[in-house]
Amino acid sequence: MMFRLFQIPFFITTLMLGVVSCAGRGQYPGSPVNDTVEDSISVEYAQGFTIKKQGDITVVTVLNPWQGAQNVAYRYVLCPKGKTIPREFSDYPVIYTPVERVVCLATTHIAMLSALGKTASVKALSGTAYVSDTTIRHAVAKGEVVDIGYDQGLNYERIISLKPDVIFAYGVGEEVVGRLARLTDLGMKVVLNAEYLERTALGKAEWIKFMAEFYDCGKLAEEGFNTVENEYDALCRLVKGTKHNPTILCGLPWQGTWYIPGGETSIAGMIADAGGDYLWKSNTSHESFPVNIEAIISKAGGADLWINTGAARTLKEIQSVDERLKYVTPYRTGMVYNNYARVSPGGGNDFFESGVVNPHIILKDMIRIFHPDLLPDHELYYYMKLE
């Protein structure tokens, strides 16, 4: 991937990360950042972070970084190595840039660093077997990148021995604040990345700007993101005005329950951008929600297309989940596609890794599936047709 963007599981103590809440929890005296930081970096789509600059100093703020979070903000002061931190920033956690040694607790972080050409800085991961990036997999095989476990099973001793400049993390719920607080007690700098909570594909991709600030390569990220944005917008214009938008069923039951993406999720938005008529588009949830299989079949049994069918790679595997699924129209007509074409040897799905920084490629795949005449020469990259 040149600027690889274009080619083809957290936690933090209040003292360490500067939790700032409108309700007052953990707020630092005087909130000096609001008064002193002068210039803002443009963030157009992402709602989960801001970037502000004052001279050599950059302040990045992460907002509501787990599901259900309200009025929560984490601020990090980034300072070039060799520079002195102004007194007004002394109450905030400081990270000296560019960082050179990092730990990543999600594969989407890998995708962003790969897009920036910074994978050499990665020294450890949670779940190395699930990584798709070939450079990182090669480094794992050579012992240059190690696995440090998950959640309560994190190998703290190994992490400390690596002496990382930063641990990039994420949180699903508020319990992560306490569960991994030991890392900050041990002197680690932990930074939350909440890209997965964004409601649009371009919002997720724009977190590349956030990650770039830790490497002093914000201009590269901005230029690359603009290229992706322009291509994504051009694809949206391509499908605008199509006369027939196929109805779309999405997902697959798991342990008897079907989790349907809400109508305000990024995947629902991409279906619409690709000229698809998502059958749950009127739902206002920005998360997946459970629906029983009978209700799904009743509403979407006659859908034109079926996409994102979990780990199923054949129609037979879908039928093995529930015999009734063979009566769903797209199953019978063979119009079932899954975002499972690029899977690592350990079972990691690249759709959820590099797809975060390549929304334009995902959109191309969807358009090719929904409106094949519009992109007749495009070969599916993340998607595959199930046989």
Side-chain angles (χ1 to χ4, degrees), residues 262-379:
E264 297 296 326
T265 58
S266 62
I267 193 67
M270 293 194 80
I271 290 172
D273 290 343
D277 183 8
Y278 181 47
L279 290 170
W280 278 265
K281 63 185 178 184
S282 62
N283 179 277
T284 59
S285 175
H286 58 85
E287 300 173 2
S288 293
F289 60 97
V291 181
N292 65 58
I293 190 171
E294 293 80 8
I296 297 289
I297 293 175
S298 174
K299 181 170 183 172
D304 296 314
L305 288 160
W306 187 357
I307 66 171
N308 298 12
T309 55
R313 305 195 74 166
T314 67
L315 294 175
K316 186 176 180 180
E317 289 178 7
I318 289 181
Q319 185 178 336
S320 71
V321 173
D322 193 301
E323 278 287 327
R324 293 170 291 181
L325 295 176
K326 67 182 180 182
Y327 300 111
V328 174
T329 296
Y331 182 99
R332 293 188 289 105
T333 59
M335 298 301 289
V336 183
Y337 294 80
N338 200 5
N339 53 353
Y340 212 68
R342 299 174 59 81
V343 181
S344 71
N349 187 348
D350 194 36
F351 177 89
F352 299 108
E353 185 176 318
S354 71
V356 171
V357 293
N358 289 317
H360 58 308
I361 299 175
I362 295 176
L363 192 62
K364 282 183 180 179
D365 279 6
M366 287 186 172
I367 294 171
R368 182 68 178 86
I369 294 167
F370 300 171
H371 302 283
D373 292 342
L374 294 180
L375 291 175
D377 297 326
H378 175 68
E379 295 184 6

Side-chain angles (χ1 to χ4, degrees), residues 169-228:
Y170 74 96
V172 175
E174 189 173 8
E175 67 276 0
V176 300
V177 175
R179 189 167 66 227
L180 298 181
R182 182 179 174 187
L183 283 173
T184 56
D185 292 340
L186 294 170
M188 300 291 103
K189 299 291 181 72
V190 185
V191 172
L192 283 171
N193 180 318
E195 140 292 304
Y196 82 99
L197 291 171
E198 295 293 340
R199 303 185 187 186
T200 67
L202 288 176
K204 290 176 181 288
E206 198 167 21
W207 277 79
I208 191 97
K209 297 180 181 179
F210 173 86
M211 297 294 276
E213 291 300 323
F214 294 86
Y215 293 86
D216 295 341
C217 58
K219 184 176 180 180
L220 174 64
E222 185 172 9
E223 292 174 350
F225 177 78
N226 289 344
T227 299
V228 167

Side-chain angles (χ1 to χ4, degrees), residues 13 20 48-50 66 85 101 118-119 126-127 150 158 165 200 205 216 219 221 231 250 273 279 289 309 317 335 376:
T13 59
V20 180
F49 73 93
T50 63
W66 57 76
I85 294 291
R101 302 175 61 83
K118 300 298 182 180
T119 53
S126 284
Y150 297 95
R158 175 168 282 186
D165 299 319
T200 67
D216 295 341
K219 184 176 180 180
E231 185 165 348
C250 190
D273 290 343
L279 290 170
F289 60 97
T309 55
E317 289 178 7
M335 298 301 289

